[in-house]
Amino acid sequence: MRILFFFLIGIQFYAQNSKIDYFKIVNDKSTIDKQYVFSEKTFSADINFVLKNDSVFKPFFKPFVNLGIYNKRHWLKIPLYNNSDITNFVYEFNQTNIDSLSLYLVKKKKVIRQFKEKGLYFHKNNTPAFLQNRYAYVYDINIPKQDSIVLYVKANVFDDSFKTMNVLWSKDNYKNREREIKIRSTYLVVFLGIVFLIILLSLAMLFFTKQKLYFYYIGFLFVVFLQITGVRYFISPILIENTLFFGNNFEEMLGFLVIFFVMHYTDNFLNLKEYYPKVSKATKYGANFSLLIFFLALFLRKYEWFYSFSYVFSKLFLLIISVTLYFFAYKLARKKKLMGYYFLIAYAPLMLFMGHFILTAMKLTNSYNPLEWEVVIFIEIIVLTIAMAHRYYLMMKQNSDYQKAIIKEQERGIQAMIEAQEKERSRIARELHDGVVQQIGSVILKSRSILAKMNLLDTKESREMLEMLENSNQDLRTISHQMMPRALKELGIVSALNDLLENSLGYSKINYSLEHFNIKERLPKKIEITIYRIVQELINNIIKHSKASEVSIQIFNTNNTIILIVEDNGVGFDKKISINGIGLLNISSRLDMVNGDVNFEPSPKSGTLVTIKIPLINS
């Protein structure tokens, strides 16, 4: 009896240990949370071994399988029982960066179907649409109603942690999933196009500003572009490993480049050198250290320990750097520095994503990351690009304001110089008129008196001497009037121009005419002086260079704008040669003082036509 009792207990114990807890399929979409896991570091088990050794599997009753980065080879045993009315299913294995992936359908310990190997080393067997491959590997399987089957999945992953969430879809329902994938794939293509355009925009900003900030940002964008496009899905990983020397863990190596560019552009972006010099120095050292690791990795990639090191270190280092820089960005934001706000917004999703990524790699969480990498990096790039464009705008505005300030200062200098010239002219004219002219007049009167007493007044020599004195006195009087004409001070611009033309052209062979319209009141003093000096300059040029026989001047007021037209029938002038002349520069400088402009063009009379416009409102 005792033997029989122990025999029955043994049978029951064996039955309990050999009992399979099936995952029951009850609807058209099921996330598998009942499975068994077997992981190994060295021995590579085959399907025959795992079929004969159920004891190596450990139950895993969670939908998200997270086995860290330390084991390279993994087996999943997924018992399925079809309790639904569906027979055609699609099994979705959603970790894409698997080096090799094998699937076996097993019934009663016998393999009834073996699928072709998929994974990075078997890209020809993967889904034809590589963008769909960003989301999952899929298999069509058939399970009869009220029947069971066991999936055995063998996954080798050498440069990442084993983390997957497996889903079973009905064949019909998976069509909706495919549409969703295509939409997301389209978004990814659009995003890549946006990133490419941002790279071009950044190149333009680099060209115009010559700032290192945009160089480092372009480098960051380019590396991210490579990561997001998933180089593995475009080019055979064998080619990458053997030709580009990046090794199987090239994503982590690109991560070191990301750190290099991120740290440098953040240093420039936040202007840490100005606000936190020591932090800026440490940031540059950290960036260069990351670049050094990248080059060392080209030689260390052949050592298996480097896979785990590079995987953890690149993520952990980036997280530490991001948190540190995030802290100083927060301090800058507290100081109301605009770039600090941008940095906080751009890096908030990335820090959450990276924090979960590290926890997953270290097996400290069994929850699936709710954030998509593409979405996180999209937010970062968009916010940073807006910030860079805003920074560029502020820099251009600052440069424009600086240029305007220089021009305004130059205008003030020119105005001060012109005002000083006018004051000096007025002083000299007054000295000539009230001093020298009066003294020469007195000398002429005394000379006449003396010569008359000596009976020498009618001699030839006396007449010539007195005539020379009178001519000199008249010349001085004319110069005095030209330097500061009395008519301009007392009667206005029209009378002053009449005197100017009469004194300048009255005794020459040049005929002149002056017409004026709607000049009923005195113009502002600054405008009258400006018009007088410009006409004076133009008349001098006509006398010296034009060989003209006729000069026409028109001045009129229309719509609160003074129009001055000076036209001659001379030989004209070469604008390219004359435009930099002192006289024309003086004209431009004077017009700048009253917001006026000047236009030189050939005259219908074969000479020169000068048109000047001066607004009365802004002057």
Side-chain angles (χ1 to χ4, degrees), residues 47 184 198 228 231 251 259 271 278 291 313 335 461 491 555 562 580 582 597:
I47 184 64
R184 296 179 67 184
I198 291 174
I228 293 180
V231 177
E251 287 190 13
I259 294 172
N271 201 10
K278 292 183 179 179
L291 186 64
F313 184 78
K335 294 180 180 179
E461 289 81 3
L491 303 176
I555 181 171
I562 299 299
N580 293 322
I582 295 176
D597 60 75

Side-chain angles (χ1 to χ4, degrees), residues 158-366:
F158 300 119
D159 60 341
D160 200 351
S161 60
F162 180 71
K163 48 188 186 296
T164 181
M165 182 182 289
N166 302 309
V167 182
L168 196 67
W169 303 78
S170 68
K171 186 75 172 178
D172 293 334
N173 197 29
Y174 191 72
K175 293 178 181 178
N176 297 326
R177 169 67 169 165
E178 285 181 328
R179 282 194 292 268
E180 175 191 335
I181 290 175
K182 289 177 181 178
I183 292 173
R184 296 179 67 184
S185 299
T186 303
Y187 289 156
L188 181 60
V189 171
V190 172
F191 173 55
L192 293 176
I194 292 174
V195 173
F196 183 72
L197 290 177
I198 291 174
I199 291 175
L200 295 180
L201 177 63
S202 301
L203 282 170
M205 289 189 284
L206 173 64
F207 176 79
F208 286 111
T209 63
K210 303 294 189 297
Q211 289 194 353
K212 292 181 180 179
L213 168 67
Y214 296 99
F215 168 77
Y216 292 126
Y217 189 59
I218 291 168
F220 161 72
L221 289 174
F222 181 72
V223 177
V224 168
F225 186 82
L226 290 180
Q227 286 183 321
I228 293 180
T229 50
V231 177
R232 295 179 178 216
Y233 304 103
F234 287 101
I235 307 171
S236 166
I238 304 297
L239 178 65
I240 295 174
E241 294 177 22
N242 295 339
T243 306
L244 300 183
F245 310 106
F246 273 10
N248 196 38
N249 60 327
F250 79 96
E251 287 190 13
E252 279 62 56
M253 295 179 65
L254 290 178
F256 291 125
L257 283 182
V258 168
I259 294 172
F260 170 77
F261 288 116
V262 163
M263 295 184 73
H264 271 299
Y265 90 67
T266 302
D267 177 44
N268 288 270
F269 181 80
L270 297 177
N271 201 10
L272 294 177
K273 188 176 182 180
E274 178 180 349
Y275 301 110
Y276 306 104
K278 292 183 179 179
V279 176
S280 173
K281 195 172 184 179
T283 301
K284 291 175 181 176
Y285 283 139
N288 295 333
F289 175 69
S290 179
L291 186 64
L292 175 63
I293 294 180
F294 169 77
F295 286 114
L296 288 175
L298 298 176
F299 305 96
L300 296 175
R301 66 183 179 86
K302 61 184 178 180
Y303 299 107
E304 188 172 341
W305 63 266
F306 185 74
Y307 293 149
S308 301
F309 168 79
S310 62
Y311 180 85
V312 175
F313 184 78
S314 62
K315 270 70 172 184
L316 190 60
F317 191 34
L318 181 59
L319 182 64
I320 293 172
I321 293 302
S322 298
V323 170
T324 303
L325 296 178
Y326 203 81
F327 170 74
F328 287 101
Y330 171 75
K331 294 183 68 174
L332 289 175
R334 290 284 301 271
K335 294 180 180 179
K336 300 187 183 304
K337 300 301 179 182
L338 184 61
M339 295 301 116
Y341 292 114
Y342 277 121
F343 193 89
L344 292 180
I345 297 171
Y347 273 82
L350 180 65
M351 291 196 32
L352 293 175
F353 180 88
M354 291 300 300
H356 189 280
F357 208 94
I358 294 296
L359 294 176
T360 300
M362 303 303 296
K363 296 180 64 176
L364 298 177
T365 180
N366 284 314

Side-chain angles (χ1 to χ4, degrees), residues 560-576:
N560 283 324
T561 300
I562 299 299
I563 308 295
L564 174 67
I565 299 175
V566 180
E567 183 179 9
D568 67 70
N569 65 344
V571 297
F573 78 108
D574 189 340
K575 187 175 180 180
K576 292 181 180 179

